[in-house]
């Protein structure tokens, strides 16, 4: 049946949920594009036959054209939703994505992510005198300092005032939110909420 493979791409995204990025289904996208090419070629042949004088082919052409449009919408929705999810991940994790997420992305998606990073960085540098990091406080902070616990050995961390803190596993620190929020997003530090 026409459009089944395209619909399966949409179902795959729906099954994965909002918080995970499934592996890019290159085979599924390729199969949909091959189906679309086959439908287009059949339509071209029937249109040529109709121009030559044959009758009764119009209904088949309309059906295949509708299937082509549906497949196109499904593939576009699949790609658009993946890019929106990748954009959301940029705001959650920063400019460096975890390897397990990057592994699920296609080469073109990785290129898009890198270009998006550059555009966002250029825009943030253009704001104000020294730039403005828009990714720092996604939610408005309740206090400037937060208590954090180190989840893994990370080594030395230099604060804005020049002091050096050793981030060892299970050590707790009271730090400026702006200094450590990127480490919290990367999973190196955990915000302790009392």
């Amino acid at each position: 049946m026409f459009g089944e493979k395209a619909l399966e791409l949409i179902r795959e995204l729906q099954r994965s949920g909002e918080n995970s990025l499934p592996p890019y289904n290159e085979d599924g996208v390729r199969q949909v594009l091959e189906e679309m090419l086959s439908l287009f070629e059949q339509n071209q042949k029937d249109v040529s036959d109709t121009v030559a004088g044959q009758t009764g082919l119009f209904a088949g052409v309309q059906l295949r054209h509708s299937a082509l449009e549906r497949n196109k919408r499904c593939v576009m929705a699949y790609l658009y939703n993946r890019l929106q999810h990748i954009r959301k991940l940029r705001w959650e994790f920063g400019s460096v994505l975890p390897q397990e997420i990057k592994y699920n992305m296609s080469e073109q998606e990785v290129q898009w992510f890198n270009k998006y990073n550059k555009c966002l960085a250029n825009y943030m540098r253009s704001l104000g005198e020294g730039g403005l990091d828009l990714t720092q406080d996604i939610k408005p902070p309740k206090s400037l300092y937060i208590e954090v616990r180190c989840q893994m050995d990370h080594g030395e961390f230099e604060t804005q005032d020049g002091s050096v803190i050793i981030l060892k596993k299970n050590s707790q620190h009271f730090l400026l939110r702006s200094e450590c929020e990127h480490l919290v997003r990367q999973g190196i530090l955990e915000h302790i909420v009392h």
Side-chain angles (χ1 to χ4, degrees):
M1 188 69 187
F2 297 135
E4 286 297 319
K5 293 172 184 159
L7 187 58
E8 185 56 36
L9 291 175
I10 301 299
R11 286 186 181 135
E12 178 183 304
L13 278 180
Q14 197 172 26
R15 278 192 300 264
S16 70
E18 286 185 27
N19 296 326
S20 66
L21 183 69
Y24 180 73
N25 190 345
E26 188 173 347
D27 288 337
V29 171
R30 186 177 27 77
Q31 288 172 358
V32 172
L33 294 177
E34 287 171 357
E35 179 182 309
M36 290 174 72
L37 180 63
S38 170
L39 291 170
F40 180 76
E41 288 171 350
Q42 288 174 331
N43 271 1
Q44 289 291 86
K45 180 184 174 294
D46 284 358
V47 167
S48 297
D49 290 345
T50 302
V51 169
Q54 194 172 352
T55 59
L57 301 175
F58 188 67
V61 170
Q62 278 188 315
L63 176 70
R64 285 189 295 271
H65 183 72
S66 295
L68 272 167
E69 291 293 317
R70 182 170 187 247
N71 281 353
K72 181 177 80 171
R73 284 193 311 271
C74 287
V75 169
M76 294 298 286
Y78 177 76
L79 296 173
Y80 177 78
N81 282 305
R82 285 186 63 84
L83 289 181
Q84 291 302 313
H85 191 77
I86 292 168
R87 185 174 63 121
K88 187 175 95 175
L89 291 172
R90 166 56 176 98
W91 288 87
E92 285 179 25
F93 291 105
S95 61
V96 179
L97 288 176
Q99 197 59 36
E100 61 270 9
I101 292 175
K102 235 179 183 175
Y103 181 73
N104 289 341
M105 294 166 56
S106 71
E107 184 180 325
Q108 290 81 12
E109 289 172 332
V110 172
Q111 289 173 1
W112 183 87
F113 178 78
N114 291 334
K115 287 179 183 176
Y116 183 72
N117 266 342
K118 287 179 184 175
C119 289
L120 186 60
N122 289 338
Y123 178 70
M124 288 189 299
R125 274 194 300 273
S126 72
L127 297 174
E129 288 180 25
L132 177 66
D133 188 359
L134 297 173
T135 63
Q136 196 163 31
D137 291 317
I138 294 174
K139 294 178 185 169
K142 293 183 180 177
S143 66
L144 294 178
Y145 286 88
I146 59 172
E147 190 173 358
V148 292
R149 178 180 297 120
C150 194
Q151 299 294 92
M152 60 186 74
D153 290 335
H154 185 66
E156 294 182 348
F157 177 71
E158 187 173 346
T159 60
Q160 289 176 353
D161 63 2
S163 59
V164 176
I165 298 171
I166 306 291
L167 297 177
K168 290 184 181 177
K169 187 172 183 172
N170 294 326
S171 62
Q172 290 185 217
H173 307 279
F174 198 63
L175 299 171
L176 266 172
R177 177 184 296 273
S178 60
E179 290 181 336
C180 66
E181 187 156 349
H182 68 284
L183 293 174
V184 171
R185 277 194 238 126
Q186 290 176 4
I188 295 168
L189 297 178
E190 174 188 30
H191 183 190
I192 300 172
V193 181
H194 292 284

